[in-house]
Amino acid sequence: MGMEKGMWVFALLLCCFVYDGIVAEDPEHGHRTERISGSAGDVLEDNPVGRLKVFVYELPSKYNKKIIQKDSRCLNHMFAAEIFMHRFLLSSPVRTLNPEEADWFYTPVYTTCDLTSAGLPLPFKSPRMMRSAIQLIASKWPYWNRTEGADHFFVVPHDFGACFHYQEEKAIERGILPLLQRATLVQTFGQRNHVCLKEDSITIPPYAPPQKMHAHLVPPDTLRSIFVYFRGLFYDVDNDPEGGYYARGARASVWENFKDNPLFDISTVHPTTYYEDMQRAIFCLCPLGWAPWSPRLVEAVVFGCIPVIIADDIVLPFADAIPWEDIGVFVAEVDVPNLDAILTSIPPDVILRKQRLLANPSMKQAMLFPQPAKPGDAFHQILNGLARKLPHDKSLYLEPGQKVLNWTAGPVGDLKPW
Amino acid sequence: MKLSLLQTNNNRRGAGYRPAAAGAEVGGGGGGVGAEGSLKSSMSAFWLLLHGLCCVISLVLGFRFSRLVFFLLFSPANLHPSAPVFRAIATRTTKTTTTTTTTATLTVSFPSSHPPPVVSNATASQSHVVVGRHGIRIRPWPHPDPAEVLRAHRIIERVQSEQRLLYGVQNPRPVLVVTPTYARTFQALHLTGLAHTLRLVPYPVTWIVVEAGGLSNETAALLSRSRVQFLHIPFVESMPAEWSDRHLTEARMRLRALRVIRERRMDGLVVFADDSNMHSMELFDEIQKVKWMGAASVGILAHSGKPNDRQLSEEEKQNFPVPVQGPACNSSGQLAGWHTFNSLPYAEKSATLVGDGATVLPRKLEWAGFVLNSRLLWKEAEGKPEWVRDLDAVGENGEEIESPLVLLKDASFVEPLGNCGKKVMLWWLRVEARADSKFPSGWIIDPPLEIIVPAKRTPWPDMPTDIQSELENTKQEHEERRFSRTSRSRSRSSRRKGDTQRQDK
């Protein structure tokens, strides 16, 4: 009797050891990396193929191809995700040519490609362009009217998403384009309790060129010797001469408090060794600018530098799949004067754990938009996010003739044809 | 969570005791009312009534209501931003308000004294982040705090040691550094530099110092101050005055050290670090790759004592050799031969005596460029290759030991280091003072110098000019005579105490 019991206990213990061995250590990487599990689970490596079907509308090329032909700089700036998403979907196995079996509908309209001479996108024509595209798909295909866009998704990577303005006050005034009220928005902007963040939209990282970043990798045994690193503007004298508007004063606060601190390698001078320096730093500051998000987050993750996010209420990319609190350090804007105390009082074990999470290749891959697409990259995370919303609720489907959207809402200028 | 549990415990206890207390006090109060005067009785009655009311309310609500009122009345007025207070209230008012959730995903989750920022209430639908002009927050003393800089450096150290653990050498082997030396003027210079280099090596180091002429206090003092684990071995012969003999003696001293390693079965990688050479840190990381015997490229700094008094012509520059000794590889990365030092261009100008002001030439292949696994020297070792001669057999017949290749039967098994010899990680240099140079013992000047001569340029303000000019004359004489005693002691503070210069050896 005792022997049997002992045998069972032994077997149980053995199972526990084996289970621990599988779960705790990633066998390929040993103790170097840690598995990432966000609130949605270990979903970074999920394969969306087979879980959803996407139908891509065929729009006239004036909405997409002609725009790139006019200005090819759109392929390199941080809003290029909209263009690459289109290209990815065209050749992806989730694409279906039969709209009847599609779960999601994608409209390829490049609203962020009207660039100034300096390369900054002008959003003034974007609402009309989007409206014109929607009118087209509503008239040519029946699927828009079926749900008034509830099973459609749009990529709107500009500063404040579908509010289509770069100034926050104006963007809040405009609000999200009324026609997109029911659609799912895929955008880089994310801030809680903000007019321009629609509920259950998918937040994506801004586009950063993967080849350029991988060309600047240094060997991993290069010792990290910079404590805090940041390169960028602290004051935007052209657009904010008085001061206090840009970055809600947070960047200026960083400068004024830490400009003579040897631990903080911060300046506005952008060196040629920017990527290499990030790989030699332990913390990289990612403060808000005019909008809360920034490509620095992507760069920090790719180069293994712990991101210090200074942006109140920000919603980070793929927040349901990536546990950002475990990976990065969040500092409230009011606490910026104490940034050095905050960062130096983090226990070293916590810092090492964050570095291990960052070293996980699936984490780095999830932030990038490589061409051609690779498994686990940002395109797949977007599809995973869309797949997690399926199946569509029955209430989304409207009765024929039932209208929910107001086609004449919004500023008068938006109603003009594009 | 814990706080609320404690609270409920208190509540239960409070609730349990309350009725008893209330009952007793009411009874007592009632008795008291009748006994005392009317004024006192009304006051006490009032307080009694208030007390009773509070008790009843507590009973109804289920927690200590009075304490909460007290707390709310006397806590700081500014409740909103100071979140710890806010959190405290939240846990007490268990039933009334919807308590905030955890201080959410917004804040840093480490235990610290910094209050987390204001948590957006569940009921708030608009963001507390306000658009518009904000102040730029600057703290009263916006300068680095030394305690924090220290903490940051500790963090950096920890991160770096973790990196080294993950990406650096796994299972590092200890390093046995063999250095032949002898006491002379420049010994302090050389040994100090080498000691500092060895202290920086991130692996366990044992410094085996062989001293020609027996153990001396000079060397012992330098070694004990070095804070490196060392082994001081005497060598009977004294160092000869000619360079060619010196090279041979050094080779014999190194063999002596190798015999000690063999006797004691010391484990590790043997590096031949001459005291005047300069080593880079990458060398010590690179040698960890050695399996049995490795060779690195050595930069030869064959310098002449005099500065270049004539410019080298283009042709001469081409004829002068590339000053690197080390392994030469063929295109497939295998050892194909050796780059040795071509001493022909220096033939007429080389130094013969130690301390000459001429170029000191190295041998064809210096010991410094070679690294051995100490197990090669042991009598028996697992996996010891056959292409190694037994150490006892070397140097038996008084043969000349030119380079470590003498230890091998077959030199083709030597492993080239530093990207097949392309990277130069150490430099060979021989610099010695003149043979008759003297230096104070232990580099301590005791007693003070006999003559104190004021500086030439700045005249002493209180000194009369005639004495000053005489002193300048004496100073010039001193320079010519080199520390020899002078009979003219002009300075006021001269002392006749005997020769302050210790004559050493």
Side-chain angles (χ1 to χ4, degrees):
Chain A
M1 180 59 180
M3 262 297 276
E4 266 197 78
K5 234 180 158 184
M7 287 281 286
W8 276 114
V9 171
F10 176 75
L12 198 67
L13 281 172
L14 197 67
C15 286
C16 285
F17 270 118
V18 171
Y19 180 73
D20 268 1
I22 294 175
V23 169
E25 252 185 43
D26 196 350
E28 295 166 39
H29 311 287
H31 57 292
R32 231 190 302 150
T33 64
E34 269 188 43
R35 290 198 74 83
I36 298 194
S37 28
S39 54
D42 276 6
V43 293
L44 278 184
E45 288 147 38
D46 274 0
N47 191 359
V49 174
R51 292 166 59 205
L52 80 165
K53 296 236 174 283
V54 177
F55 177 72
V56 182
Y57 285 121
E58 286 270 337
L59 289 186
S61 58
K62 71 168 181 169
Y63 290 99
N64 30 54
K65 291 207 192 70
K66 284 232 179 83
I67 298 185
I68 302 186
Q69 280 166 5
K70 265 196 282 184
D71 193 348
S72 66
R73 287 177 299 175
C74 295
L75 290 167
N76 297 320
H77 68 176
M78 50 185 158
F79 308 106
E82 56 181 4
I83 304 172
F84 293 122
M85 189 69 188
H86 182 204
R87 294 189 183 175
F88 164 70
L89 283 172
L90 284 177
S91 53
S92 159
V94 302
R95 182 191 184 188
T96 169
L97 298 167
N98 177 8
E100 289 301 326
E101 63 169 13
D103 302 306
W104 287 100
F105 294 83
Y106 172 63
T107 317
V109 50
Y110 303 161
T111 52
T112 329
C113 202
D114 183 13
L115 304 185
T116 64
S117 54
L120 299 169
L122 292 170
F124 304 117
K125 295 198 200 134
S126 310
R128 287 157 47 200
M129 191 174 163
M130 183 64 84
R131 190 190 163 82
S132 146
I134 296 177
Q135 275 172 334
L136 188 66
I137 60 174
S139 53
K140 266 181 85 174
W141 287 274
Y143 307 104
W144 177 269
N145 291 325
R146 197 169 62 167
T147 56
E148 293 254 276
D151 53 357
H152 289 56
F153 72 92
F154 294 84
V155 181
V156 280
H158 194 240
D159 284 355
F160 288 98
C163 291
F164 292 122
H165 210 280
Y166 51 81
Q167 262 196 26
E168 191 169 358
E169 286 167 337
K170 296 257 172 61
I172 294 178
E173 236 181 83
R174 293 182 56 94
I176 299 181
L177 196 70
L179 292 177
L180 294 175
Q181 292 289 355
R182 288 169 62 87
T184 295
L185 298 176
V186 177
Q187 56 190 45
T188 47
F189 171 73
Q191 187 175 304
R192 273 184 279 272
N193 302 322
H194 197 279
V195 171
C196 299
L197 181 69
K198 201 156 121 21
E199 216 185 294
D200 70 344
S201 39
I202 298 177
T203 316
I204 60 173
Y207 177 75
Q211 306 93 322
K212 194 167 157 218
M213 290 202 282
H214 286 138
H216 287 270
L217 287 177
V218 298
D221 59 349
T222 316
L223 300 176
R224 287 187 190 264
S225 47
I226 303 176
F227 193 62
V228 176
Y229 188 76
F230 175 75
R231 288 290 186 273
L233 290 177
F234 299 102
Y235 294 95
D236 188 353
V237 282
D238 304 320
N239 300 319
D240 175 28
E242 304 176 318
Y245 288 96
Y246 180 54
R248 295 198 275 270
R251 287 194 184 197
S253 178
V254 168
W255 175 252
E256 296 301 335
N257 283 302
F258 303 112
K259 59 189 173 201
D260 61 352
N261 194 322
L263 301 172
F264 283 68
D265 187 354
I266 57 179
S267 112
T268 52
V269 175
H270 192 100
T272 46
T273 54
Y274 177 61
Y275 288 145
E276 287 86 347
D277 290 342
M278 277 190 133
Q279 292 171 76
R280 286 179 36 232
I282 299 182
F283 291 105
C284 288
L285 295 184
C286 303
L288 71 160
W290 286 110
W293 55 270
S294 112
R296 281 182 190 84
L297 183 70
V298 177
E299 290 160 355
V301 168
V302 169
F303 294 129
C305 180
I306 300 175
V308 178
I309 295 150
I310 309 174
D312 285 347
D313 277 352
I314 189 172
V315 174
L316 288 175
F318 309 128
D320 49 353
I322 300 176
W324 286 105
E325 313 79 48
D326 293 339
I327 291 173
V329 177
F330 288 79
V331 177
E333 289 165 32
V334 297
D335 286 332
V336 166
N338 301 322
L339 191 58
D340 56 349
I342 295 174
L343 292 180
T344 53
S345 55
I346 302 180
D349 307 322
V350 172
I351 294 180
L352 291 176
R353 175 159 186 261
K354 288 184 201 279
Q355 290 189 322
R356 278 198 298 272
L357 284 168
L358 282 170
N360 196 335
S362 55
M363 174 76 204
K364 295 187 206 275
Q365 193 74 290
M367 289 282 114
L368 296 174
F369 293 95
Q371 266 79 50
K374 296 198 175 62
D377 65 6
F379 298 117
H380 291 90
Q381 303 303 332
I382 298 174
L383 292 179
N384 280 335
L386 290 169
R388 282 197 285 275
K389 290 179 159 206
L390 293 176
H392 290 298
D393 198 38
K394 289 283 181 248
S395 62
L396 292 177
Y397 293 94
L398 305 172
E399 303 299 322
Q402 183 185 5
K403 288 273 175 239
V404 177
L405 291 180
N406 183 354
W407 284 75
T408 52
V412 180
D414 287 358
L415 302 175
K416 295 200 195 120
W418 179 70
Chain B
M1 197 49 187
K2 269 193 187 160
L3 229 94
S4 56
L5 275 175
L6 267 173
Q7 202 54 38
T8 50
N9 278 337
N10 282 339
N11 293 342
R12 271 188 243 120
R13 254 191 292 138
Y17 282 128
R18 285 278 152 209
E25 289 206 46
V26 165
V33 165
E36 293 174 354
S38 57
L39 183 69
K40 270 196 184 163
S41 69
S42 66
M43 279 297 290
S44 56
F46 168 72
W47 281 116
L48 203 65
L49 207 62
L50 190 65
H51 187 76
L53 193 67
C54 289
C55 292
V56 167
I57 294 176
S58 303
L59 269 177
V60 166
L61 283 177
F63 62 96
R64 291 179 76 170
F65 169 71
S66 53
R67 192 186 280 183
L68 176 64
V69 169
F70 189 87
F71 189 82
L72 280 173
L73 281 176
F74 292 96
S75 62
N78 200 12
L79 293 177
H80 188 54
S82 58
V85 178
F86 184 60
R87 233 193 294 146
I89 294 178
T91 50
R92 283 174 195 276
T93 60
T94 45
K95 289 182 190 121
T96 46
T97 56
T98 54
T99 55
T100 60
T101 53
T102 60
T103 51
T105 58
L106 191 61
T107 65
V108 195
S109 53
F110 56 85
S112 82
S113 55
H114 301 281
V118 183
V119 182
S120 51
N121 255 332
T123 51
S125 59
Q126 73 237 48
S127 170
H128 72 276
V129 179
V130 179
V131 182
R133 194 143 185 239
H134 288 69
I136 299 171
R137 294 181 182 86
I138 306 176
R139 63 188 191 197
W141 180 249
H143 295 297
D145 176 1
E148 278 168 18
V149 176
L150 195 63
R151 270 199 295 228
H153 280 290
R154 294 222 179 89
I155 292 176
I156 296 176
E157 256 179 60
R158 183 83 177 78
V159 167
Q160 287 187 353
S161 61
E162 183 75 16
Q163 273 187 286
R164 222 177 260 127
L165 204 71
L166 292 174
Y167 303 110
V169 181
Q170 311 296 339
N171 308 321
R173 286 171 285 176
V175 178
L176 307 168
V177 182
V178 170
T179 304
T181 186
Y182 69 106
R184 74 269 195 207
T185 307
F186 278 18
Q187 183 197 33
L189 172 77
H190 297 318
L191 280 188
T192 309
L194 187 54
H196 290 170
T197 305
L198 295 181
R199 275 173 67 183
L200 285 175
V201 174
Y203 311 109
V205 165
T206 307
W207 195 8
I208 300 171
V209 181
V210 185
E211 185 169 1
L215 303 180
S216 75
N217 290 339
E218 304 286 345
T219 319
L222 281 165
L223 291 180
S224 59
R225 275 204 303 270
S226 68
R227 291 192 238 171
V228 177
Q229 193 189 5
F230 66 91
L231 201 60
H232 194 178
I233 298 174
F235 188 73
V236 179
E237 296 172 33
S238 59
M239 193 61 85
E242 284 205 10
W243 278 111
S244 45
D245 295 332
R246 181 171 153 174
H247 288 306
L248 292 173
T249 310
E250 278 180 2
R252 283 201 293 276
M253 288 159 81
R254 292 187 189 104
L255 279 182
R256 174 90 170 79
L258 292 182
R259 285 200 186 94
V260 168
I261 293 176
R262 176 193 169 90
E263 275 162 39
R264 300 191 187 202
R265 282 178 82 85
M266 297 172 88
D267 195 16
L269 294 160
V270 180
V271 176
F272 297 102
D274 301 337
D275 54 5
S276 50
N277 289 356
M278 180 55 63
H279 312 84
S280 72
M281 286 299 116
E282 284 106 34
L283 175 70
F284 295 98
D285 290 325
E286 189 72 17
I287 61 174
Q288 296 285 340
K289 296 181 190 158
V290 166
K291 203 157 168 286
W292 289 111
M293 183 152 176
S297 289
V298 182
I300 302 294
L301 302 174
H303 86 109
S304 68
K306 310 185 191 84
N308 283 345
D309 40 6
R310 58 188 179 91
Q311 289 298 327
L312 297 170
S313 68
E314 277 306 312
E315 196 193 305
E316 277 176 320
K317 274 191 192 150
Q318 281 186 12
N319 282 340
F320 268 84
V322 173
V324 174
Q325 261 186 16
C329 290
N330 59 13
S331 49
S332 57
Q334 310 279 331
L335 183 71
W338 301 94
H339 288 300
T340 61
F341 189 75
N342 180 11
S343 35
L344 285 180
Y346 295 96
E348 285 100 58
K349 298 177 282 213
S350 71
T352 39
L353 289 175
V354 173
D356 269 357
T359 317
V360 181
L361 295 178
R363 314 306 284 168
K364 282 234 159 357
L365 276 180
E366 277 292 329
W367 283 76
F370 290 89
V371 181
L372 309 173
N373 186 342
S374 64
R375 288 170 196 234
L376 277 183
L377 307 163
W378 293 0
K379 286 201 180 63
E380 293 102 31
E382 215 181 276
K384 188 171 156 180
E386 324 78 39
W387 38 267
V388 165
R389 288 170 64 188
D390 193 45
L391 189 62
D392 292 333
V394 176
E396 260 180 349
N397 308 324
E399 68 200 61
E400 274 202 6
I401 307 157
E402 278 290 329
S403 79
L405 295 178
V406 148
L407 296 168
L408 308 177
K409 291 179 200 153
D410 183 0
S412 59
F413 287 97
V414 176
E415 303 148 41
L417 297 174
N419 194 10
C420 217
K422 291 201 192 82
K423 194 166 153 93
V424 175
M425 293 178 288
L426 70 153
W427 294 268
W428 178 97
L429 175 68
R430 288 287 181 265
V431 175
E432 297 298 342
R434 273 171 54 142
D436 58 345
S437 71
K438 318 265 181 286
F439 66 102
S441 154
W443 289 97
I444 294 172
I445 302 170
D446 175 41
L449 288 169
E450 187 180 281
I451 307 286
I452 297 175
V453 179
K456 215 168 192 175
R457 284 196 209 128
T458 52
W460 292 116
D462 52 343
M463 198 174 269
T465 42
D466 52 10
I467 297 183
Q468 193 191 334
S469 56
E470 279 187 34
L471 282 170
E472 285 179 359
N473 289 339
T474 53
K475 186 161 183 263
Q476 280 174 354
E477 281 190 30
H478 278 304
E479 276 176 2
E480 283 159 37
R481 270 190 232 172
R482 280 192 188 255
F483 304 120
S484 57
R485 207 209 301 197
T486 174
S487 53
R488 283 177 291 157
S489 45
R490 290 306 174 94
S491 165
R492 284 183 209 141
S493 43
S494 73
R495 279 170 236 184
R496 294 173 189 276
K497 254 198 178 166
D499 196 7
T500 58
Q501 277 311 119
R502 296 288 163 82
Q503 308 271 340
D504 232 10
K505 277 229 194 155

